[in-house]
Amino acid sequence: MHAAFIDLLNACYEWAPGLWIALLVGIISAAAVILFFRTQLRIRTSRTTSKFAWGRLALGVWVCMWLVGLFLSWPWLNWHYAVVCFRYETPHNIGLVVVPCCMAAFGLTWLYYVVAVEKGSAKFWLKVLALLRWLCLKVLGAKHQTAYGHHMHWRFVLWGEVVKDHWQSGHLWRVLLRQRWLFVLLAAFATLALIWVLVSWLSGDEVKVTLSQALFPAAPHGSSNGAWSLFTAVALAPLAFLLWWFRDTNQLWLIENNRKDTNLKDFQKLCEWATGAQLVEDEVTIKKAGKSVETTTKRLKPPIQEGTPNPPGRREGSEALQVAAVHQLKAYLMGEFGQQFRQPTLVLLLSIWSRMQKNLMADPPVPLDGLQGESLLGAYVSWREEVQKRLGQSPLAQAVLLALLSQKGKALGDYRHHLPGCLLNGINNRLPGLDGLRLNDMDLSNVQLTLANLLGAQLQGADLRWAQLQGANLHKAQLQGAILWDAQLQGANLHWAQLQGASLHRAQLQGANLLTTLLQYADLFRAQLQGADLQMANLQGAHLSEAQLQGANLHWAELQGANLHWAQLQSAQLRIAQLQGANLHRAQLQGTDLLRAQFQGAKLTNVHLDAQTNFADAVSDSDTNLSVTRSELSNKAIPAATHALRLKARMLNHFNLPDSAYQEFQAEWETLSTTEQQHIYYKAYDYAANLGEFAKDFPHLTPPD
């Protein structure tokens, strides 16, 4: 035992340097993962994504990074500490062979994709990311696979798109080029590495002898001035670098200040032109002569010669100058003439857009009061088309939007504190020259985006509480994890929008188009969805407690595992809806069409039915629970009332449960008199809707809680 312990200590001593290297790689990987999750992904836990799930995913990413780091450091470890990787008899240079060969194979595969496959580089990196994703999900475990797909996957996709856009636009390269101090440090490290390589050819004694002879020559007439000069230059290099850095920073500041003085005059003039200060009034010029005589003169266009085109007047020329000034301000907004001009330009353009709202926003074609469902949606569509038509006829409005929304709204994102409550009605992020809008993880509370065209906008994790989005076009918009509490979305187009994990507490969605919308695990507590079109919408695991869905169209909707507790579904269309495992406790189903709906494992306790509720060809199983309970918190069924409800649902509503459901309380039912059976059967719907009414009529048949 003592010998084995000594052998273990000796092994740890021999492995110590390599283990320290492995531990250092692990610490660096962990720091990189934490920084990535906090800054790039902006991780926030919620009701459906626990800290445990995020932690396991971070662990998986860390393990992958650690393994990659150890693999890349394998040649050095294997050369100096072979026992860490293999036994002593293993060749020390095996790491120097395996790792370069793997990297060469990696590079040749990438080269093959680039040369032989269309868009090969992108496809190659997608395959690499898919492999890394598979490794991470192995650590995550099957329990959190669904949560990853709905709450985490889009964060990685968004981060990848941002990095790709920056790379394609050269943003990252331009940032690196501005870091001149970094290039100086790299040059210094390269010089030191070169010296180290040259010195490494000599043994330790040879180095000492060479330096001693160079600095302190033994010959009486020997000179060491050159050696001392070199030694002094190397020793003073850090101080020289600091002095250069301070001087370079000061020079850059002076150059920027001179540029600011030069550009300030141009900026002020452009602001005057953009605001219309130079516009010529079309009104007459009135001159008063005395007390009673008034003479009026008009500013007229210059005389038009016959056969020549009609030249623009002073008013038209001033308007053209205003449009040109707004286009020129785009460069100031993007920081091409200095960062100090960006925020004033943004405020100016937002003010111009706010001032144009009166002429741009048309009145609705028909009164919206009283409209529901498709009529309300059609009215908003016509209204939005009219507003976008006016936008297309206004060169000034287009110029303002081209400046504000350039580079996917980069200026709005950089100065996001101006966005809450901002007036952006009628904007269009798909004008020629624009490539979308990205405002993810931003505070957009109280923002006004009525009738806006936000096709494909990236709004992941955005805070849109109390936002005005009536009639907005959000087709294919990315709204995963967004907060839309009390948002106004009446008549909005959310076709193919992605709202996984979004929070829509009390959101107003009357008449909205939610066709094929992805709403997995979304929170729609008390959402107003009257008359909304939710055909083929994916609502798996969604929280629809107390949601108002009267008259909504939910044909082929996927509602597996959804919570529809107290949901108002009167006259809703749920044909062929997937309701496996859904919770419909006390749901209002009067007049609801549930033809061929799937109810396997669904909970239908105390549901409110009437004779118009249609369960024809609906599918159920032994886990489907249609019953009447004693109280709100009790899961214990009242035998007589439950049996009567099941019989009535089969007779009037064509809801056929398995035979075991009708045999469960058959014995208790047969003990009742015919009069009692008829009375309970007649009031079965009322007993399901009013939990205390059965206890009043038949206290002796009501089981205790």
Side-chain angles (χ1 to χ4, degrees):
M1 187 70 179
H2 179 72
F5 182 71
I6 295 298
D7 292 340
L8 179 62
L9 290 179
N10 291 332
C12 292
Y13 176 76
E14 293 174 354
W15 296 358
L19 292 177
W20 278 111
I21 295 296
L23 181 61
L24 180 62
V25 172
I27 293 174
I28 294 175
S29 302
V33 169
I34 294 172
L35 186 65
F36 174 74
F37 270 60
R38 290 181 63 86
T39 61
Q40 301 298 319
L41 300 186
R42 295 180 175 87
I43 294 301
R44 288 199 302 260
T45 57
S46 64
R47 179 177 55 85
T48 53
T49 52
S50 63
K51 294 180 180 179
F52 182 69
W54 288 116
R56 291 192 65 173
L57 180 65
L59 178 63
V61 176
W62 172 67
V63 169
C64 289
M65 290 188 62
W66 194 7
L67 292 176
V68 171
L70 288 178
F71 180 77
L72 294 178
S73 61
W74 184 15
W76 188 87
L77 288 171
N78 189 216
W79 179 262
H80 293 279
Y81 308 102
V83 70
V84 176
C85 303
F86 297 103
R87 296 293 183 183
Y88 279 110
E89 58 269 15
T90 305
H92 283 199
N93 59 353
I94 188 172
L96 295 174
V97 176
V98 175
V99 175
C101 288
C102 291
M103 296 182 69
F106 186 85
L108 290 174
T109 306
W110 173 80
L111 186 61
Y112 166 76
Y113 270 85
V114 171
V115 175
V117 182
E118 184 180 358
K119 298 181 180 179
S121 180
K123 293 180 180 179
F124 172 78
W125 289 113
L126 285 176
K127 289 183 178 294
V128 173
L129 291 175
L131 176 62
L132 295 176
R133 176 173 174 265
W134 177 79
L135 292 173
C136 293
L137 292 182
K138 279 295 183 181
V139 179
L140 184 62
K143 180 179 179 181
H144 299 290
Q145 294 284 336
T146 305
Y148 168 82
H150 299 326
H151 301 284
M152 308 177 193
H153 177 65
W154 64 267
R155 297 179 183 271
F156 290 94
V157 173
L158 176 63
W159 173 76
E161 291 179 356
V162 172
V163 173
K164 183 186 71 173
D165 290 345
H166 285 175
W167 182 264
Q168 291 178 347
S169 62
H171 177 73
L172 296 176
W173 182 245
R174 288 196 300 269
V175 171
L176 288 176
L177 288 178
R178 287 197 296 265
Q179 311 302 320
R180 297 193 289 183
W181 60 272
L182 181 61
F183 288 96
V184 175
L185 284 180
L186 290 176
F189 283 128
T191 303
L192 293 176
L194 180 61
I195 295 174
W196 179 79
V197 170
L198 295 175
V199 172
S200 63
W201 291 98
L202 303 173
S203 63
D205 296 335
E206 292 176 344
V207 172
K208 293 179 181 179
V209 171
T210 303
L211 292 177
S212 178
Q213 291 179 355
L215 297 176
F216 307 100
H221 301 290
S223 176
S224 61
N225 293 336
W228 276 106
S229 299
L230 178 62
F231 179 78
T232 305
V234 173
L236 295 178
L239 180 59
F241 171 72
L242 289 178
L243 293 176
W244 171 86
W245 188 14
F246 294 151
R247 184 179 180 279
D248 183 67
T249 304
N250 185 59
Q251 290 295 326
L252 290 175
W253 180 82
L254 291 175
I255 294 172
E256 187 68 22
N257 197 35
N258 292 333
R259 288 181 59 194
K260 179 180 178 181
D261 294 338
T262 304
N263 296 327
L264 184 58
K265 296 179 181 179
D266 295 339
F267 177 70
Q268 291 174 343
K269 196 64 178 179
L270 288 173
C271 289
E272 292 179 6
W273 291 345
T275 54
Q278 83 292 347
L279 290 177
V280 179
E281 298 294 339
D282 291 331
E283 300 293 335
V284 298
T285 301
I286 301 175
K287 296 181 179 180
K288 292 185 179 181
K291 295 183 178 179
S292 59
V293 180
E294 294 184 359
T295 59
T296 303
T297 59
K298 295 184 178 180
R299 292 195 180 104
L300 300 175
K301 295 181 180 180
I304 304 172
Q305 297 180 4
E306 187 177 355
T308 60
N310 188 6
R314 298 181 62 186
R315 177 74 185 186
E316 291 82 356
S318 299
E319 291 176 350
L321 182 62
Q322 185 180 17
V323 174
V326 172
H327 278 292
Q328 287 183 287
L329 284 174
K330 176 183 174 181
Y332 286 89
L333 184 63
M334 292 297 103
E336 296 179 13
F337 295 100
Q339 297 296 317
Q340 64 274 6
F341 295 110
R342 296 190 65 197
Q343 186 169 350
T345 307
L346 176 64
V347 174
L348 175 65
L349 293 175
L350 290 175
S351 300
I352 295 174
W353 184 259
S354 300
R355 192 179 62 181
M356 297 177 63
Q357 293 293 301
K358 183 177 180 180
N359 295 328
L360 185 64
M361 298 297 291
D363 295 328
V366 294
L368 300 177
D369 297 337
L371 296 181
Q372 296 179 355
E374 294 182 359
S375 300
L376 181 61
L377 178 60
Y380 272 111
V381 170
S382 300
W383 192 10
R384 183 174 64 246
E385 290 176 351
E386 178 62 27
V387 170
Q388 296 302 321
K389 181 180 178 181
R390 291 192 178 190
L391 175 61
Q393 295 173 350
S394 174
L396 179 60
Q398 294 184 44
V400 173
L401 287 185
L402 287 173
L404 283 175
L405 306 182
S406 59
Q407 297 184 18
K408 297 187 177 181
K410 183 178 183 299
L412 295 173
D414 292 341
Y415 298 97
R416 58 186 66 189
H417 57 278
H418 289 289
L419 290 176
C422 189
L423 190 64
L424 295 170
N425 295 325
I427 67 170
N428 186 354
N429 70 331
R430 289 296 174 178
L431 289 174
L434 297 178
D435 54 353
L437 182 65
R438 180 184 291 138
L439 295 174
N440 54 289
D441 287 305
M442 294 188 188
D443 185 2
L444 297 167
S445 56
N446 286 300
V447 69
Q448 297 188 36
L449 287 161
T450 303
L451 305 176
N453 183 12
L454 300 169
L455 176 65
Q458 298 190 17
L459 299 162
Q460 298 96 327
D463 186 353
L464 286 153
R465 284 178 288 187
W466 309 289
Q468 305 290 323
L469 288 155
Q470 297 95 327
N473 181 19
L474 290 156
H475 178 57
K476 292 186 178 180
Q478 307 289 319
L479 286 153
Q480 298 97 326
I483 302 173
L484 289 145
W485 292 2
D486 298 292
Q488 304 294 320
L489 286 152
Q490 297 93 332
N493 179 19
L494 288 152
H495 177 48
W496 270 116
Q498 299 193 35
L499 288 144
Q500 297 97 325
S503 181
L504 293 115
H505 279 206
R506 300 179 299 275
Q508 305 291 321
L509 288 150
Q510 296 93 332
N513 179 12
L514 292 152
L515 181 67
T516 63
T517 303
L518 303 179
L519 286 152
Q520 298 97 322
Y521 292 91
D523 192 348
L524 290 146
F525 175 70
R526 290 186 179 177
Q528 305 294 316
L529 288 151
Q530 296 93 330
D533 187 359
L534 287 148
Q535 293 186 75
M536 294 182 284
N538 195 326
L539 289 149
Q540 296 169 342
H543 184 64
L544 289 150
S545 180
E546 300 184 40
Q548 305 292 320
L549 287 151
Q550 297 93 332
N553 187 352
L554 288 145
H555 285 182
W556 302 285
E558 298 186 35
L559 290 150
Q560 297 95 328
N563 182 10
L564 290 151
H565 174 74
W566 269 112
Q568 307 294 314
L569 287 155
Q570 297 93 331
S571 302
Q573 302 292 319
L574 285 109
R575 291 191 175 190
I576 324 180
Q578 306 296 316
L579 288 152
Q580 296 93 330
N583 179 13
L584 289 145
H585 177 66
R586 294 191 67 79
Q588 306 284 329
L589 297 173
Q590 297 92 329
T592 305
D593 187 359
L594 293 150
L595 177 71
R596 297 171 61 186
Q598 307 290 317
F599 284 99
Q600 296 93 327
K603 181 180 180 181
L604 292 149
T605 54
N606 301 109
V607 290
H608 298 200
L609 308 175
D610 62 8
Q612 285 71 42
T613 306
N614 181 20
F615 283 96
D617 297 323
V619 180
S620 61
D621 61 5
S622 58
D623 294 324
T624 304
N625 183 11
L626 176 65
S627 60
V628 181
T629 60
R630 171 65 182 85
S631 63
E632 186 73 28
L633 301 177
S634 175
N635 291 321
K636 189 173 183 180
I638 302 175
T642 298
H643 192 77
L645 179 64
R646 293 173 179 176
L647 293 175
K648 197 167 185 176
R650 182 175 62 178
M651 180 65 65
L652 296 182
N653 307 117
H654 313 290
F655 191 23
N656 294 313
L657 296 169
D659 294 338
S660 58
Y662 301 104
Q663 297 171 1
E664 183 179 3
F665 301 116
Q666 181 68 29
E668 290 88 342
W669 179 256
E670 292 178 351
T671 59
L672 303 177
S673 64
T674 304
T675 303
E676 289 177 328
Q677 289 179 357
Q678 291 177 349
H679 182 83
I680 296 173
Y681 181 85
Y682 176 75
K683 297 186 65 177
Y685 292 155
D686 297 334
Y687 292 149
N690 302 297
L691 301 182
E693 190 167 344
F694 185 84
K696 294 180 181 178
D697 294 344
F698 301 96
H700 60 287
L701 298 177
T702 304
D705 292 339

